Amino acid sequence: MARLEDMPKEQAAHIANLDCPTYVTQPWVAGPPLSQRRVALISTAGLHHRQDRPHTGLTPDYRVIPGDIAPQDLVMSHVSTNFDRTGFIQDFNLIFPLERLRELADQGLIAGVADFHYSFMGATDPRQMSGQAGEVARLLLKDQVNAVLLVPV
Amino acid sequence: MGGLAHYLESEGVPTTQISLIRMHTEKIRPPRALWVPFELGRPLGVPGDRAFQARVLLAVLRLLEAPFGPVLEDFAEEAAPAEASFTWACPVSLPPPTEPETETGQLAAAFLDEIEHLATWYHQAVRRQPEVMVGASGLEPQAIGRYLGGFLAGRVPPNPRPELSWPWLVKLAVEDLKAYYFKAVTAQPGQGDPGSARLTDWFWGETMAGRVLLKLYFILAELDDPEGHFLARYLLVPMSQIHRLHRRVH
C-alpha cells in the first residue's frame, strides 16, 4: 500500500511534503533489446556486506555488493523506521532481486548479471549523491553493464 | 531514486526503476519508471513468490525497450493482502508483561527472558532459511538485550562497539532486535505472512521488547546528547506506533 491514502496521516503528509529534485535536462541512453542487456542492481535500502561499514546517518556514500554475495552476508542499515522490513527478512529478493535476475538470465530474457551491484542509503537527499553516482557510473561501464535496475525501499 | 537515475543516465548508463511513490516520480521525471502499488519496503511485491516477483521484474526491465522517454507506467497487479479471515495470534508463549514497571531491573530481566524464549524458534527459522537478515549491529540477540536494557537505568551503558557512536549502535541494535523477533515468530509451520501491520502491532503492543523501546524513547530524549535526541525523535518509533507514546504519557 504505497498509496499515500493508505498510510498513517503523519507519514503521508511527511512523504507528500518531501522536497524532490527536478532537472532541466532529460538524459536518455538508448540500447539493445532486453535479451542483450547485462543488468546491475542499485538499491537505496542501505544494503551492504555484513563485514562492511554500516550506514550511520544521512550520507551519500554507497556500498559495493559483489554478485556472488551469500544471502546470509547481506544486511541492511537504512536509517528509516517507516517502511516494512518483515518482507526482507523472509525473502531478500523482495528488495534485492539478485536471484530473480539470474533466473531471467538463465531463461535468456536478459544477457547476464553484472559482477558488482551497489546500494545507497535512500533517506539522503539525492542531490548530494551526484558525485558518488558518477563514480558508480564509471564502475558500471567498466563492468560492461548496459542496464541498471534501481530498486527503492 | 529518480535523482540517481538522472545522474547515471547523464553518465551514459541506461536505467529503469521501480517507483513506490508515484507523486515523487512524477515530479522528478526519471528516464524509465514502473510505479507499483506495494507497501514501502516491498518493491517486488510478495515475499517468496518467485512468479510474482518475476512479473514485476520483467515489466520494469521491458521499459528499457521504450523508444523514447521519460516513461512512467503502472504495474496493474496488486499484492495479495494478508488474509482477512486468517486469525493470526502470536504463536510464541511469552512471559506475561511485568506490571507495574516500577522496577527497572524487573523489566530488563523480563526483556532478556523474552529474547531467550524466542531463540529456539529463531534458530529453526535460520535452519529452514539460512539467509540471516539480522546482523548490521554485529551483536548477538542477548547482547542486544543487555545493551538496550542497560539504558533503562537512565544513562548510557558501555558501548560494545566503540568504533560506532552509541546512538547509531542503538539504531542498528533496535533494527536487528526487531528482525530477530519477526524471524522467530514467523518460523512456526503454517504461519505464512501475517502482513507487516500485524507483526508491527504485535511487536510494539504485546512484547517486552516493545515496552523497553517505548521507554527508551523517553530516556534518550532526556539525555544530554543531540544525536540521541535525533534518534529518539525520528528513527526509533515508526509513525504507525507513535500513538503508543502518547498513551504512555497520559
Side-chain angles (χ1 to χ4, degrees):
Chain A
M1 42 144 199
R3 296 180 172 95
L4 295 187
E5 59 266 28
D6 295 329
M7 296 180 188
K9 282 187 185 163
E10 209 176 272
Q11 185 176 8
H14 171 73
I15 288 175
N17 292 326
L18 278 173
D19 179 27
C20 295
T22 56
Y23 303 98
V24 174
T25 59
Q26 300 288 327
W28 181 265
V29 180
L34 186 57
S35 61
Q36 295 174 33
R37 301 278 188 156
R38 181 172 159 84
V39 182
L41 288 172
I42 296 185
S43 164
T44 54
L47 302 175
H48 53 89
H49 192 285
R50 64 171 57 250
Q51 292 175 345
D52 203 346
R53 298 156 298 136
H55 291 279
T56 54
L58 303 177
T59 55
D61 51 321
Y62 61 88
R63 300 292 183 270
V64 179
I65 301 174
D68 60 355
I69 189 169
Q72 58 265 36
D73 286 333
L74 186 66
V75 296
M76 182 194 295
S77 60
H78 195 294
V79 302
S80 172
T81 192
N82 289 308
F83 63 86
D84 171 57
R85 299 186 187 215
T86 65
F88 177 62
I89 289 163
Q90 298 172 65
D91 177 7
F92 75 95
N93 286 282
L94 193 67
I95 288 181
F96 195 71
L98 187 57
E99 290 180 340
R100 297 293 90 80
L101 270 189
R102 294 206 185 288
E103 289 156 9
L104 294 186
D106 289 343
Q107 295 164 44
L109 293 168
I110 61 175
V113 179
D115 289 338
F116 295 97
H117 310 270
Y118 302 89
S119 183
F120 290 82
M121 209 293 290
T124 304
D125 184 337
R127 284 164 285 219
Q128 295 180 24
M129 296 180 186
S130 61
Q132 302 274 324
E135 192 172 301
V136 168
R138 289 185 282 281
L139 292 166
L140 290 164
L141 292 170
K142 280 188 188 175
D143 198 0
Q144 299 183 322
V145 166
N146 57 4
V148 161
L149 169 58
L150 291 143
V151 186
V153 76
Chain B
M1 179 61 68
L4 273 175
H6 175 87
Y7 301 132
L8 291 168
E9 198 98 9
S10 298
E11 296 284 343
V13 180
T15 66
T16 185
Q17 68 167 82
I18 290 173
S19 162
L20 283 168
I21 305 293
R22 202 179 203 283
M23 174 193 290
H24 290 174
T25 308
E26 288 168 357
K27 286 182 188 172
I28 300 171
R29 305 189 79 209
R32 304 167 194 82
L34 178 76
W35 177 75
V36 294
F38 314 138
E39 65 175 296
L40 300 181
R42 298 194 174 200
L44 273 293
V46 184
D49 191 333
R50 287 185 171 189
F52 190 99
Q53 292 172 11
R55 290 196 292 277
V56 177
L57 210 49
L58 275 172
V60 65
L61 288 172
R62 284 192 172 128
L63 299 183
L64 289 160
E65 294 181 327
F68 53 83
V71 178
L72 174 55
E73 291 190 3
D74 295 345
F75 188 75
E77 199 177 343
E78 300 270 354
E83 288 183 37
S85 61
F86 180 67
T87 302
W88 186 78
C90 174
V92 180
S93 300
L94 296 173
T98 306
E99 284 285 8
E101 295 160 17
T102 52
E103 293 288 338
T104 297
Q106 203 174 13
L107 179 57
F111 179 34
L112 288 175
D113 279 347
E114 187 176 79
I115 291 172
E116 187 60 32
H117 203 90
L118 287 165
T120 187
W121 284 109
Y122 176 76
H123 289 304
Q124 288 304 315
V126 170
R127 201 165 149 265
R128 184 155 40 108
Q129 205 180 15
E131 302 87 42
V132 176
M133 303 312 168
V134 301
S137 70
L139 302 177
E140 294 296 323
Q142 279 285 342
I144 290 174
R146 285 192 297 273
Y147 180 58
L148 296 178
F151 284 86
L152 293 174
R155 58 178 180 272
V156 180
N159 184 346
R161 285 198 63 186
E163 72 274 20
L164 295 174
S165 70
W166 71 259
W168 289 110
L169 181 58
V170 167
K171 171 62 182 176
L172 295 173
V174 167
E175 296 304 335
D176 279 355
L177 181 74
K178 290 192 291 184
Y180 171 79
Y181 272 64
F182 294 148
K183 202 157 175 84
V185 82
T186 55
Q188 286 198 351
Q191 286 306 313
D193 178 17
S196 61
R198 284 185 191 170
L199 280 171
T200 303
D201 282 342
W202 166 75
F203 179 84
W204 289 97
E206 299 178 43
T207 70
M208 213 58 67
R211 286 177 174 231
V212 167
L213 296 187
L214 289 171
K215 217 169 167 64
L216 192 60
Y217 173 93
F218 295 102
I219 292 170
L220 296 184
E222 290 293 312
L223 294 175
D224 185 18
D225 190 301
E227 259 193 343
H229 296 167
F230 181 81
L231 169 67
R233 176 106 192 261
Y234 297 111
L235 304 182
L236 188 60
V237 182
M239 289 186 193
S240 65
Q241 306 296 319
I242 288 287
H243 59 280
R244 300 187 193 276
L245 291 171
H246 300 151
R247 266 191 229 150
R248 289 187 67 85
V249 169
H250 299 292

